[in-house]
């Protein structure tokens, strides 16, 4: 893909570009915990968004998105969101200039193989690739973490999704062969090797695009905040669900709206599960890790209610297939992928069984991807 991108850039814009890549991400466990200031365990993967870019000596950003065969231009000083994917570039262009550094016009060619709407954060990868390239081209001197925050603000205020920091963080700070335990409050992180040569990380795509995720996502966030407000009256030190213990929560259950109580219970439990899963990883206890994944899915499905029948079906099915140690829905929910840890010599059988069963049930074939854990955003050529 990179050679053809470079060639097309020269044909289209008549000069050699800087080419960068930013990966999509998986998340092992710790779902919807990021905006509750808890923990997540993502990793960057070998599916990427590429951005080829060069200055063009004007005040205009010209973008061609090869995946959509679509060209859009905007002024570097544009401040308002539009609609669709261009918002990710508009937002990043806006936020990189908020610290007082102006940028000039650029020509941009975007492409990638992160499936869109599959819960692998193609939008975060797009913001990361574009922001990382701007940082290089204009010597802006942002750290990777600052670029992640710029991507997150873009998602909040240009795309309207009040997301946490996980996706942008993983895309920029991923490390090959490692999961990253991130504390979403302090932003301290730890790389934990995922070193199980006989096992692979396999994603199964429901082929249901998580289009509902925007509104439902923001609603979950509000419900969590409602829970915090209630508990704060008794425990003023509580700032987010991260600070809430299971005992504190259960002590006040009668005062909660039942739905809000379920949401909060899931988050409090998921943070605990993540810590247990990290311990399991450190002790090479893959079955223990897998159990946490299944428990996470149950919570996401029953208490947080961000799963769907397709995701539930895929996770349930894995319990009948040999060589699967853990499975759960991944990402925001309402569609997208499940993440599965599967014995390498069982992958063929896994793929066959899961595709056949899903096809029978839903009359469509789920795509299956075997993932490698990769480095975060990087320069490919300049
Ligand atoms: C989406 C969001 F962008 C993340 O911040 C995170 O909340 C995730 O859903 C759920 O864990 O990918």
């Amino acid at each position: 893909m990179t050679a053809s991108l470079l060639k097309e850039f020269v044909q289209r814009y008549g000069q050699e570009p800087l080419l960068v890549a930013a990966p999509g991400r998986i998340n092992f466990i710790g779902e919807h915990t990021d905006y509750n200031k808890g923990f997540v365990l993502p990793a960057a993967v070998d599916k990427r968004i590429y951005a080829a870019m060069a200055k063009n000596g004007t005040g205009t950003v010209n973008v061609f998105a090869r995946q959509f065969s679509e060209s859009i231009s905007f002024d570097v000083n544009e401040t308002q969101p539009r609609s669709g994917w261009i918002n990710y570039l508009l937002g990043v262009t806006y936020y990189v200039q908020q610290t007082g550094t102006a940028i000039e016009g650029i020509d941009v060619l975007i492409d990638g193989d992160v499936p869109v709407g599959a819960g692998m954060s193609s939008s975060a990868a797009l913001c990361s690739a574009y922001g990382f390239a701007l940082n290089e081209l204009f010597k802006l001197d942002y750290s990777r973490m600052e670029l992640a925050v710029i991507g997150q603000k873009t998602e909040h205020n240009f795309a309207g999704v009040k997301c946490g920091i996980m996706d942008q963080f993983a895309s920029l700070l991923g490390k090959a062969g490692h999961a990253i335990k991130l504390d979403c409050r302090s932003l301290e992180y730890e790389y934990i090797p995922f070193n199980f040569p006989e096992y692979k990380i396999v994603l199964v795509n429901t082929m249901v695009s998580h289009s509902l995720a925007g509104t439902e996502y923001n609603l979950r966030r509000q419900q969590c905040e409602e829970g915090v407000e209630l508990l704060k009256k008794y425990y003023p030190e509580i700032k987010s669900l991260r600070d809430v213990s299971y005992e504190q929560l259960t002590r006040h259950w009668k005062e909660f709206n039942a739905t809000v109580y379920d949401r909060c219970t899931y988050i409090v439990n998921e943070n605990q599960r993540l810590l247990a899963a990290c311990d399991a990883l450190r002790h090479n206890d893959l079955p223990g890790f897998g159990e946490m994944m299944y428990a996470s899915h149950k919570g996401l499905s029953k208490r947080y209610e961000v799963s769907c029948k397709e995701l539930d079906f895929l996770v349930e099915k894995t319990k009948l297939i040999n060589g699967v140690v853990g499975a759960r829905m991944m990402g925001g929910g309402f569609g997208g992928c499940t993440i599965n840890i599967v014995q390498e010599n069982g992958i063929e059988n896994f793929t066959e069984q899961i595709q056949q069963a899903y096809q029978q049930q839903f009359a469509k074939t789920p795509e299956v991807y075997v993932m490698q854990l990769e480095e975060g955003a990087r320069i490919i050529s300049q």
Side-chain angles (χ1 to χ4, degrees):
M1 180 175 304
T2 55
S4 82
L5 256 177
L6 288 170
K7 192 168 158 214
E8 181 164 351
F9 192 95
V10 175
Q11 279 167 356
R12 205 168 259 283
Y13 301 117
Q15 57 171 329
E16 300 280 343
L18 162 74
L19 179 62
V20 309
R25 64 103 189 90
I26 55 162
N27 186 25
F28 286 104
I29 193 163
E31 218 65 88
H32 289 270
T33 41
D34 58 356
Y35 53 84
N36 287 298
K37 302 289 176 216
F39 299 97
V40 289
L41 191 67
V45 292
D46 56 338
K47 291 210 179 279
R48 307 176 187 90
I49 297 288
Y50 296 93
M53 313 202 333
K55 295 181 191 176
N56 63 18
T58 71
T60 305
V61 180
N62 302 311
V63 192
F64 182 69
R66 209 158 63 159
Q67 259 175 312
F68 310 124
S69 275
E70 205 181 339
S71 295
I72 302 183
S73 293
F74 61 88
D75 189 283
V76 279
N77 295 317
E78 203 164 312
T79 56
Q80 294 306 310
R82 297 190 193 176
S83 66
W85 58 266
I86 198 65
N87 275 329
Y88 298 110
L89 284 77
L90 275 169
V92 173
T93 308
Y94 175 77
Y95 284 114
V96 293
Q97 298 185 90
Q98 287 309 291
T99 50
T101 7
I103 62 166
E104 298 153 35
I106 35 176
D107 294 330
V108 185
L109 178 55
I110 304 279
D111 205 354
D113 58 3
V114 187
V116 174
M120 293 172 73
S121 297
S122 56
S123 61
L126 175 56
C127 289
S128 303
Y130 180 69
F132 191 80
L134 284 182
N135 205 34
E136 284 300 314
L137 274 181
F138 294 98
K139 304 277 169 262
L140 300 177
D141 216 23
Y142 286 110
S143 68
R144 285 175 182 257
M145 194 63 97
E146 286 167 339
L147 289 174
V149 172
I150 285 173
Q152 186 193 19
K153 283 189 194 156
T154 296
E155 192 80 58
H156 283 197
N157 301 321
F158 280 74
V161 178
K162 302 288 178 198
C163 65
I165 190 72
M166 170 170 74
D167 302 355
Q168 297 77 8
F169 168 84
S171 182
L172 284 150
L173 284 124
K175 180 169 167 172
H178 290 73
I180 328 164
K181 178 187 168 204
L182 172 68
D183 177 331
C184 298
R185 168 170 285 156
S186 67
L187 297 184
E188 278 167 14
Y189 56 93
E190 176 194 348
Y191 292 113
I192 306 182
F194 189 86
N195 189 15
F196 301 97
E198 283 163 22
Y199 289 86
K200 292 279 176 208
I201 300 150
V202 183
L203 303 190
V204 183
N205 190 346
T206 57
M207 314 306 279
V208 178
S209 176
H210 61 171
S211 54
L212 260 181
T215 45
E216 284 293 328
Y217 186 94
N218 293 346
L219 179 61
R220 293 299 177 282
R221 192 173 177 139
Q222 273 171 25
Q223 291 165 333
C224 292
E225 283 162 7
E226 208 177 309
V228 170
E229 284 312 308
L230 194 154
L231 290 168
K232 245 187 192 166
K233 287 191 268 171
Y234 301 97
Y235 314 100
E237 71 281 9
I238 287 175
K239 303 239 162 1
S240 69
L241 287 181
R242 152 76 176 277
D243 306 313
V244 175
S245 70
Y246 191 66
E247 289 66 36
Q248 288 171 327
L249 186 62
T250 48
R251 200 174 302 148
H252 296 281
W253 73 271
K254 280 191 183 153
E255 298 153 63
F256 272 84
N257 158 297
T259 306
V260 171
Y261 186 74
D262 271 348
R263 306 298 188 245
C264 295
T265 307
Y266 161 75
I267 296 292
V268 169
N269 288 338
E270 182 75 349
N271 268 317
Q272 291 308 315
R273 272 192 291 266
L274 182 138
L275 297 176
C278 288
D279 277 345
L281 256 198
R282 288 193 200 94
H283 293 99
N284 291 326
D285 172 13
L286 208 49
F289 189 77
E291 259 175 52
M292 293 298 139
M293 291 176 74
Y294 279 118
S296 167
H297 182 80
K298 194 168 165 204
L300 284 159
S301 177
K302 303 279 183 263
R303 287 199 182 260
Y304 216 61
E305 293 184 289
V306 290
S307 186
C308 60
K309 59 182 189 309
E310 291 86 352
L311 287 165
D312 287 346
F313 178 88
L314 286 175
V315 170
E316 222 25 61
K317 209 74 212 164
T318 63
K319 296 179 181 163
L320 307 171
I321 304 177
N322 283 336
V324 183
V325 289
R328 52 181 285 275
M329 58 151 276
M330 189 184 76
F334 308 105
C337 291
T338 60
I339 174 169
N340 309 265
I341 312 286
V342 185
Q343 212 163 19
E344 187 169 21
N345 60 17
I347 287 183
E348 224 170 283
N349 174 49
F350 171 84
T351 307
E352 212 176 283
Q353 292 210 35
I354 208 104
Q355 285 187 327
Q356 209 175 52
Y358 194 83
Q359 169 74 41
Q360 250 172 31
Q361 186 78 11
F362 298 109
K364 54 185 154 199
T365 309
E367 285 171 7
V368 173
Y369 322 112
V370 179
M371 308 309 305
Q372 302 292 335
L373 305 188
E374 280 278 336
E375 292 298 310
R378 65 195 163 92
I379 297 174
I380 306 281
S381 66
Q382 57 187 341

